[in-house]
Amino acid sequence: MLTSLSIAVRLWASLVTGLLSTLALAQGVSVTDSWVRATVAGQQATGAFMKLTASQALRLVQAGSPVAGLVEIHEMRMDKDVMRMSAIPGLDLPAGRSVELKPGGYHVMLMQLKQQIKDGETVPITLTFQAPDGRKETLEVKALARMLSQPSKHGH
Ligand SMILES: [Cu+2]
């Protein structure tokens, strides 16, 4: 299931971005369970979450989306009992180990939203990965927007 999903993502990405990306993707990173927290009207920012598994060590160095004017890679962590969110320059993906972006942890932050993101919509997100030798590859994922009825778990 995970394999077929990752193949589907790769096929889809190669269809969209063409032959160059197909070659670059030989290095292999799979994205599963991607989703975006749906927004209410007027909301300026939201988070995107997913599981990333790279077959070789890679670093997620950039993310972009047509629905957002500014996209950053963020981490959340506890700092003296306060949950803080900050941009990080990149997120390391160790070979063969999946790294989960999830509420309360790492996430792709979509800011300066150009539109409301409604429950059930798909949001294209382009991820750029860098290999240890400096080569970069991009992968486009379609994240499903989900409206959560509960506030995020890390709140008090
Ligand atoms: Cu954030």
Side-chain angles (χ1 to χ4, degrees):
M1 170 116 172
L2 191 140
T3 308
S4 61
L5 250 178
S6 83
I7 288 170
V9 168
R10 284 184 209 185
L11 280 176
W12 188 85
S14 60
L15 283 175
V16 168
T17 53
L19 186 63
L20 279 175
S21 292
T22 308
L23 294 172
L25 281 171
Q27 205 142 27
V29 57
S30 75
V31 181
T32 55
D33 303 336
S34 60
W35 65 282
V36 173
R37 190 189 296 269
T39 65
V40 296
Q43 191 176 332
Q44 289 299 299
T46 191
F49 311 95
M50 65 203 73
K51 247 183 227 168
L52 299 172
T53 311
S55 55
Q56 296 179 28
L58 284 178
R59 186 173 166 86
L60 173 65
V61 291
Q62 201 180 351
S65 174
V67 303
L70 179 63
V71 181
E72 291 179 347
I73 303 159
H74 277 190
E75 69 173 353
M76 283 186 112
R77 62 173 165 206
M78 292 299 287
D79 177 19
K80 296 182 184 125
D81 289 343
V82 180
M83 186 62 88
R84 294 193 191 280
M85 177 165 81
S86 54
I88 53 175
L91 175 59
D92 286 321
L93 308 176
R97 271 222 322 264
S98 60
V99 173
E100 193 171 6
L101 282 66
K102 59 187 177 187
Y106 296 116
H107 54 279
V108 172
M109 193 79 189
L110 308 174
M111 290 170 286
Q112 300 172 13
L113 292 176
K114 297 170 185 172
Q115 63 200 65
Q116 184 183 0
I117 296 171
K118 294 177 181 157
D119 191 38
E121 287 179 352
T122 53
V123 178
I125 297 174
T126 304
L127 304 173
T128 303
F129 301 94
Q130 188 164 29
D133 65 7
R135 277 193 306 152
K136 286 183 179 173
E137 57 185 85
T138 62
L139 180 60
E140 189 158 3
V141 300
K142 278 191 154 187
L144 181 67
R146 283 169 30 192
M147 180 58 80
L148 298 189
S149 49
Q150 288 185 325
S152 54
K153 275 188 198 148
H154 59 262
H156 288 277

